[in-house]
Amino acid sequence: MATLSGKTAREMLKNHTDLISSEIAEGTGAGIALATRPDGLRTGLSIWFSDLERNQGPVIELKPKGLKSHRVELRFGNFARQIINQISEAPDEDMNLARSLIESIKAEAQVEIPGQAMDSWLVSDGGFRMHATLRHAESSDNPDAMIATCREVIVPMMAAMAELIGYDVVLDEDEDGALEGTVTKREIVKRERNPRNRLLCLRIHGHTCKSCGLTPSMLYGSAGSIIEVHHLQPLSSLGEPRKYDPRTDLAPLCPNCHRAVHTRKPIPYSIPELQSLMGEHVD
Ligand SMILES: [Zn+2]
Ligand SMILES: [Zn+2]
């Protein structure tokens, strides 16, 4: 297999940085700054949240390791004290989502948080580090390998940090009166719209509608990233309060099915209920 020269790889990477930054921005719900670092013949990337100075928050460095691997390291800048304080006060639900996002990274990527367990890690001081190494079939200079590393490792890592920092989920208050009523309802809409919940839901369950089986990305190609995330079990319908778990409480639905389950209010149709309604009209 021919290997790319550093120059060609950098040019190809430049063409892909827009794609990479839009994927990260979509998955995290935060603006992303991205810089390529030409290291001789090797190309590296630095990624951070664009509303923070590079040394005031988490920064991810992607570097080639050997011929076919990437090493990704997340650390905090020297002036990140304020953000670290903010993160240390993140609610349990956000912490749970952040840990689930990191757990969703494939085992081959060998994620490690030195000195901490993967199911109970915390960001408590500026010494926090998280790193991963991902091996590819192609050269580490290859932009496709870069994109795979971004999708598999960097997007969930940055999304976990965005959740802990608490980047806001913007809700449209007017939409269908969706937010009238209870705090619970507001929480559920917020979870359905949270880009980090969405990312985790799609990483776990894939891009196929759980009700009708449609995969919008197969039907509409690049216009098909319209799958939505539904909160399966509204807390208001539970006999007793139960801890919200993004791994089990969210399901991907196509926009039609999502709209259909919410036609019953306040408690939406369950997916089996919707499926049996659909069955009534198939002759
Ligand atoms: Zn559907
Ligand atoms: Zn829903």
Side-chain angles (χ1 to χ4, degrees):
M1 195 207 306
T3 53
L4 295 162
S5 75
K7 185 165 177 282
T8 313
R10 273 198 300 282
E11 281 163 3
M12 286 176 71
L13 180 64
K14 236 185 165 74
N15 297 333
H16 286 78
T17 51
D18 283 353
L19 176 65
I20 290 170
S21 63
S22 74
E23 280 199 15
I24 300 173
E26 192 183 307
T28 59
I32 292 297
L34 188 144
T36 58
R37 304 176 310 108
D39 281 4
L41 290 177
R42 295 290 181 79
T43 309
L45 270 180
S46 302
I47 298 161
W48 63 99
F49 293 118
S50 58
D51 67 333
L52 297 169
E53 295 294 328
R54 194 169 170 165
N55 57 13
Q56 290 179 345
V59 183
I60 281 184
E61 305 275 359
L62 180 159
K63 290 175 191 167
K65 189 187 176 200
L67 291 175
K68 293 187 170 183
S69 296
H70 284 137
R71 183 180 163 90
V72 176
E73 185 174 64
L74 182 147
R75 57 180 174 70
F76 283 83
N78 291 333
F79 297 93
R81 169 53 47 196
Q82 212 182 333
I83 280 294
I84 290 167
N85 288 343
Q86 195 175 323
I87 285 177
S88 66
E89 285 164 18
D92 286 352
E93 183 175 316
D94 299 5
M95 198 67 233
N96 184 20
L97 175 54
R99 289 187 188 129
S100 301
L101 281 161
I102 300 304
E103 280 168 21
S104 77
I105 299 173
K106 281 190 237 145
E108 301 95 276
Q110 302 168 344
V111 188
E112 269 183 56
I113 300 174
Q116 300 203 58
M118 292 310 291
D119 59 355
S120 60
W121 57 270
L122 290 168
V123 179
S124 45
D125 61 53
F128 181 89
R129 296 270 187 286
M130 186 185 297
H131 59 77
T133 302
L134 190 58
R135 191 176 158 81
H136 297 284
E138 57 280 271
S139 158
S140 57
D141 284 352
N142 187 311
D144 288 341
M146 293 269 185
I147 288 170
T149 298
C150 283
R151 279 190 186 152
E152 181 47 37
V153 179
I154 297 177
V155 172
M157 276 188 187
M158 287 298 267
M161 292 300 130
E163 184 65 19
L164 293 178
I165 292 170
Y167 281 103
D168 271 346
V169 178
V170 180
L171 298 179
D172 182 355
E173 304 272 343
D174 297 332
E175 198 172 311
D176 197 24
L179 296 184
E180 87 227 350
T182 63
V183 174
T184 307
K185 194 165 180 184
R186 197 188 166 84
E187 266 316 300
I188 289 166
V189 175
K190 207 171 158 185
R191 283 171 190 155
E192 292 196 341
R193 303 282 174 81
N194 181 331
R196 281 87 65 179
N197 273 326
R198 176 186 159 83
L199 177 70
L200 182 65
C201 176
L202 298 181
R203 284 176 67 82
I204 290 172
H205 300 293
H207 287 69
T208 297
C209 175
K210 276 272 192 260
S211 178
C212 72
L214 180 76
T215 307
S217 56
M218 306 276 278
L219 186 60
Y220 302 112
S222 58
S225 58
I226 53 173
I227 195 100
E228 296 177 358
V229 163
H230 177 55
H231 189 288
L232 275 175
Q233 209 169 7
L235 298 174
S236 58
S237 70
L238 291 172
E240 55 194 52
R242 184 175 57 80
K243 258 191 168 176
Y244 161 70
D245 183 347
R247 286 162 293 198
T248 52
D249 294 355
L250 301 173
L253 289 180
C254 74
N256 277 348
C257 290
H258 197 197
R259 189 138 187 184
V261 295
H262 282 285
T263 56
R264 190 171 76 186
K265 294 171 187 192
I267 299 172
Y269 290 113
S270 70
I271 291 172
E273 281 171 334
L274 184 68
Q275 285 170 327
S276 69
L277 287 173
M278 288 161 76
E280 285 171 16
H281 291 272
V282 177
D283 6 69

